[in-house]
Amino acid sequence: MRLLKVATCNLNQWAMDFDCNLKNIKESITRAKQAGAVIRLGPELEITGYGCEDHFLELDTVAHAWECLKELLLGDWTDDMLCSFGMPVIKGSERYNCQVLCLNRKIIMIRPKLWLANDGNYRELRWFTAWKQNDQLEEYQLPSDIYEALVQKTVPFGYGFMQFIDTAVAAEVCEELFTPIPPHTELALNGVEVFMNASGSHHQLRKLDLRMRAFIGATHTRGGVYMYSNHQGCDGGRLYYDGCACIVVNGDVVAQGSQFSLKDVEVVVAQIDLDAVASLRGSISSFQEQASCKQHVSSVNVPYKLCKPFNLQMSLSSPLKISYHSPEEEIAFGPGCWLWDYLRRSGASGFLLPLSGGADSSSVAGIVGCMCQLVVKEIENGDEQVKSDAIRIGNYTDGQFPTDSKEFAKRIFYTVFMGSENSSDATRARAKMLADEIGSWHLDVSIDTVVSAFLSLFQTLTGKRPRYKVDGGSNIENLGLQNVQARIRMVLAFMLASLLPWVHSKPGFYLVLGSSNVDEGLRGYLTKYDCSSADINPIGSISKQDLRMFLKWTATHLGFSSLAEIEAAPPTAELEPIRSNYSQLDEVDMGMTYDELSVYGRLRKIFRCGPVSMFKNLCFGWGSKLSPSEVADKVKHFFKYYSINRHKMTVITPSYHAESYSPEDNRFDLRQFLYNSRWPYQFRKIDELVNELSVGKDAPKSSNGVGVVAAGSADPKAGL
């Protein structure tokens, strides 16, 4: 038997905070050594943080990374342990995303990334060059201060593996695993038994299964040990890296870390018999045949033994059942952990949320309530870093610290119901009940006098006073009256966030939380600069469908029972007067349902459909219930309002990224914001198709089951 103990980790790094990152790296090495591991794998670009973006273009960033690496190598951190460190490296005139592989205070080799992540949220080709010289390793001259300190002038650089006395080890960096021909395929044929994947993979709802299947598939048919390390937390942007460091052996998961956690460092360890890898490979005839005519991959000989012989004192790691969270749990824990990182790193002393009593703002409140529960739980589990941060943010004194989530929420979470004459007693009561369940410091204020003051000023300037549509006003008047309410709420929210800490004798400021969902953003069903214009938004890329499921789950599992009633209430903005024969409803205002919006969003972004392609797809999907002309009307209606309102995405509150059809303009969904909203060419093509499809047909016209509403309804939130 060749027994090998390996360690991989989740690290909560912070882009450009080298002290924080180095501290976490050292802690992970210490824990790995204490567990007896001889290989330690950290996440991609762990020294700098993954989310440095254009800071990677600064020479300072690369220089500081080398300085940190030098500190690690001059200490005893790499003694008797193979360590893989992620950092940027400049070779010649090119900048590479690299894994620097070190042992016993020396650099064994530098492995640049072969295939860069350059879609979705990723822009690696903006900052790095992909390594293309795969036929041989080159000699890289280390920076002068490094080779003087290490007495090592050059190091092998490029694509290859490390041949130890008793096994072969190689790196495979993040995106490379998901390419059509991943490097581990030919590396396995060259005898590599241990693969180290340093990753920077962000959370997205329902995504983890895809990742786990890739790890399992990498070793199921060709054998091997696959180690995966990831960032975990908010490192400075919209993404939450969801950890889940794991170790897979011959297609079986033998160790798995947490997906969501407040811990800064988590180390996952497994003990493996490498003879099991050799045995599996020797039993697969096709593997043997392909290995016999493999393409040669360069290697670095390392005269060092990693494995230990047969020993009854060392138990092997057994296969585990993979742990997955439900989407409702992902919504609770992912944004909850992201909010905690943002709060503790921003210098803020709490959150302020305009709480309307509706589904969206109540979802945000539920996530903050979950965050408070996670903080108290981690303190109970002995996490000193979480405890220290909570004491500072909660302004505790005399040795006190959070022991109850509601008491902690009272110190760091402030909710305000900003009612008007259009608000119902039901939403006011629901907001108060939810605030009591979570424990937030709750305020109930009326904005009517402020609205009236603005309207009086307008009347003084113009001689006219606008009226709501239900009172005989025009659509323009109706929109203006709704928008002034929404924008007054935004101003009031930021005033409270700035001045309440002073009132409460607390330092710092409160972060204003937004609460518009991904479907409203896609449709533009929000007022520009309204109360959803905030500092950050934890639900900005989560669909209404998922939020409603989350509300039901939270009511049962987190103890916020009022959320069940909130989920059951019909969505309404409450910006128009309530009459006996009229009550404002979101889906009627939008001219489409939230279920339909999710369909449009996925077709537009995930399946890359323009108006004509979307029409064709929906004719198949909805054709049994709707005629082609009805489908065409719906598609036109969506694209009209999508394009009219696209400009709102340029100033949308930075949101937690959770959904693959997010319309977020600044990082993920890169499209123009000035459209010809009539789409003359595309809509003409749709009309031609409708005429072709309608000839000689009497198409069914009943409801499609997802809720059909009038396509010509006015949009009270479409105004600038």
Side-chain angles (χ1 to χ4, degrees), residues 127-147:
W127 310 301
F128 301 110
T129 300
W131 179 255
K132 303 176 182 68
Q133 312 303 320
N134 292 347
D135 54 342
Q136 62 182 357
L137 290 167
E138 299 182 3
E139 283 299 308
Y140 172 76
Q141 182 168 307
L142 294 170
S144 58
D145 58 328
I146 301 297
Y147 77 67

Side-chain angles (χ1 to χ4, degrees), residues 31-44:
R31 294 189 192 179
K33 285 190 173 183
Q34 289 172 347
V38 293
I39 297 178
R40 175 268 177 197
L41 171 66
E44 184 178 13

Side-chain angles (χ1 to χ4, degrees), residues 636-652:
K636 292 177 183 178
H637 185 65
F638 164 71
F639 272 101
K640 173 186 175 182
Y641 283 99
Y642 160 75
S643 55
I644 286 174
N645 291 311
R646 179 65 188 175
H647 64 94
K648 297 178 184 179
M649 290 298 97
T650 64
V651 296
I652 199 72

Side-chain angles (χ1 to χ4, degrees), residues 355-358 417-430 447 468 481-482 485-486 489 525 569-578 582-586 589 716-717:
L355 184 59
S356 70
F417 181 85
M418 294 183 276
S420 73
E421 61 183 356
N422 302 321
S423 303
S424 67
D425 292 336
T427 53
R428 175 179 279 105
R430 288 197 289 264
I447 63 170
Y468 289 101
L481 287 169
Q482 292 181 73
Q485 294 171 72
R489 285 172 172 147
Y525 187 66
T572 173
E574 291 196 332
L575 292 171
E576 294 183 78
I578 299 172
Y582 178 77
S583 180
Q584 185 180 24
L585 296 173
D586 288 356
D589 283 346
K717 293 188 177 181

Side-chain angles (χ1 to χ4, degrees), residues 18 153 155 160 186 211 225 236 336 371 386 447 482 487 498 525 533 561 605 630 663 691:
F18 293 92
K153 190 169 185 177
V155 62
E186 64 176 357
R211 197 190 298 161
V225 177
M371 183 204 79
V386 174
I447 63 170
Q482 292 181 73
R487 286 170 175 148
S498 299
Y525 187 66
S533 297
S561 59
K605 178 64 177 176
E630 289 172 320
N691 290 333

Side-chain angles (χ1 to χ4, degrees), residues 88-123:
V89 174
I90 294 176
K91 183 179 186 297
S93 58
E94 306 98 48
R95 184 183 293 100
Y96 294 99
N97 175 349
C98 295
Q99 289 302 118
V100 183
L101 301 145
C102 306
L103 173 68
N104 290 330
R105 311 190 188 202
K106 297 292 182 183
I107 301 174
I108 298 174
M109 69 176 290
I110 298 176
R111 164 66 154 84
K113 195 170 181 178
L114 309 179
W115 306 108
L116 300 176
N118 205 57
D119 47 25
N121 286 291
Y122 297 103
R123 300 286 180 276

